[in-house]
Every structure is written in C-alpha cells, then in structure tokens.
Amino acid sequence: MIASYALLGFGRIGRRIARFRPDVAAVLVRPSQVAAARALLPGALVTTALDDVLALAPRMVVEVAGAELLREAALPVLRAGADLLPLSLGAFCDRALLDTVSAAGPGRLVIPPGTMGSLDILGAARESGLTEVSYWSSRPPRGFARTLIRDRFDLDGMGAATTVWSGSAREAGQDFPHNCNLAVGIALAGIGLDATAVTMVADPAAIRTTHRLTFRSAGSDGCLVVEAPPVPPGGDPADLAAFSILRLLRRWGAPVFI
C-alpha cells in the first residue's frame, strides 16, 4: 500500500477514489466542497491551496480536477518529488506543457489507463515496433450534448449510427477537452498525439459507450474493446477511470507487481 497519497479534486471521480482509499493524506477542493470533503475524510487535510498539499510531502498525487488545474499543478507536484497520476490528459495536447512536464522531475509523470482499463498491451506492442494506432468510440447521441457536436448534428433526430468526428488524438483533445482524455492517454502510450487516429460515432441504438483500441506492430496486431455501463439517471457512471487509479495506488505498494 502507498503510505501517503494526495488527491487534487473532489468531483465524481475524486469522491469515488476517496471512498475506496480513505487513507488519503490531503485533498485539494473548491471552497464549496470543504464541508463535504471533511465529512468523508475526517483524517485528511482538506485545503484549497496546493502548497498545503505539497507541504505534507505525499509520495503520489492523483489529479481528478480538470485540465486547468493540472496545467497549474503539474510542475509544482513533480518538482516537489511526488509522482503525478493525472486523469485530465487533454492538458497535454499542449506540446510545450508536455515537454516541460516530461523533463521536470524528480517526481515521475504516471499515465493511468483510464476507462480503457489497461494500456500494457499497447506498451508491449510499442517495444516490438508499433506502426499504427486508432481509437474508435460510440455512444448515444445525448453523450455529445455538451460538446461542439450539438451544433453540427441534430442529436435528437438522429436515425442511424453516424460518424460525428474524426481526426488525430491531439485534435480530439483540443476539440473535446472533457471527453477525450482516453484518446490522449492511448496516444501517449503508443505512437504520439499526431499519429493516433480518433473516430467518434453517435448511435441512437446504443445503450452503452463503447471504446475500441486497435493497433499494428511488427510483433502482433491487436484490438481491445471496452463497454462502459449506461449512465444512470443521477449521471454518475461507474466506469474504469477511477478504478484504474485505485489499481495503480495498490500496485505501487504491493509486494507482487502485476
């Protein structure tokens, strides 16, 4: 087990991580979240200041607060010597930020697999000579309601599965900063943001969101498919994003590293 980790963010994913791992040393929250965080985590430092979090010298810092906070926090966290596990990977579509963070240290930037569950197969293929990577996703049209797609397509009147966007992972992260963190993670694990192809489909017959990763390499070709559960009325999908973080926290301190 990790002796001490800190949490940046207390939204849906942050709260889920905190429930499963209440041994968090500190949590960075918005002012409006202070009372709720203290109630859930009575043993943790609850603060609105990043400096307070880093003063505790956590070994790992988990970011689930959004790309804007990640841009501000990444360098201070890494320079403080903590390993950083970010979920808001769209921030790294900024070349300058990614280059700066990658060279920062002494802490390490650890990329979680997020909703895909694992990117180990892609990493292994990269070692053998990765030549092609693509990410395809399909979801009900309502899943695009808060994106630029709503202005380009009649989501309510869509009668058949329709490709609503295609481009590179970098473009996807820029156009869909809240929806394409997985595409960015796949690109970082594989052949890069500009070479990774992304396709998004709106399907009125779909109940679940489907993620499909395909790749070609000298060693083998492969395809990994994950179906996320339907979003409940409360809007809190229990996908693999939070659980990928929990696995990394457990993995880092386990006597058997798998």
Side-chain angles (χ1 to χ4, degrees):
M1 286 286 190
I2 293 297
S4 174
Y5 84 97
L7 189 59
L8 308 184
F10 199 66
R12 172 179 63 84
I13 294 178
R15 291 191 300 273
R16 177 165 286 125
I17 292 171
R19 290 190 188 100
F20 278 87
R21 287 294 303 264
D23 57 320
V24 57
V27 56
L28 182 70
V29 302
R30 297 189 180 100
S32 62
Q33 298 171 325
V34 169
R38 286 176 176 164
L40 181 61
L41 300 166
L45 170 68
V46 177
T47 179
T48 59
L50 179 62
D51 287 345
D52 293 342
V53 173
L54 298 182
L56 294 182
R59 292 174 57 192
M60 303 190 78
V61 174
V62 175
E63 176 279 316
V64 290
E68 184 176 351
L69 186 280
L70 178 57
R71 292 186 189 99
E72 298 175 1
L75 282 177
V77 168
L78 295 171
R79 287 171 176 167
D83 289 345
L84 174 62
L85 281 66
L87 275 185
S88 304
L89 300 180
F92 296 133
C93 289
D94 180 339
R95 287 187 179 89
L97 177 64
L98 181 59
D99 289 346
T100 302
V101 167
S102 299
R108 298 173 300 172
L109 179 62
V110 181
I111 304 299
T115 306
M116 209 75 216
S118 176
L119 295 177
D120 284 352
I121 190 171
L122 192 57
R126 180 176 172 176
E127 295 293 332
S128 70
L130 193 59
T131 59
E132 183 179 327
V133 178
S134 63
Y135 165 66
W136 178 96
S137 70
S138 172
R139 66 188 65 194
R142 68 176 182 276
F144 294 98
R146 297 183 179 181
T147 73
L148 55 82
I149 299 302
R150 70 184 178 206
D151 299 323
R152 300 179 180 179
F153 294 87
D154 179 8
L155 298 177
D156 293 329
M158 194 169 284
T162 303
T163 297
V164 294
W165 194 93
S166 61
S168 70
R170 188 182 304 279
E171 293 167 329
Q174 292 168 342
D175 284 354
F176 303 91
H178 304 295
N179 300 82
C180 280
N181 293 313
L182 175 55
V184 174
I186 287 170
L188 293 176
I191 55 177
L193 288 158
D194 297 305
T196 302
V198 176
T199 301
M200 287 182 277
V201 173
D203 185 355
I207 298 175
R208 299 184 167 203
T209 296
T210 301
H211 308 278
R212 185 172 70 209
L213 163 65
T214 58
F215 65 89
R216 290 182 175 276
S217 72
S220 63
D221 300 338
C223 178
L224 179 61
V225 178
V226 173
E227 290 189 352
V231 179
D236 185 11
D239 59 30
L240 290 178
F243 299 107
S244 74
I245 292 286
L246 290 165
R247 178 176 181 268
L248 283 173
L249 291 173
R250 186 184 303 277
R251 190 184 194 192
W252 244 248
V256 179
F257 189 96
I258 300 177

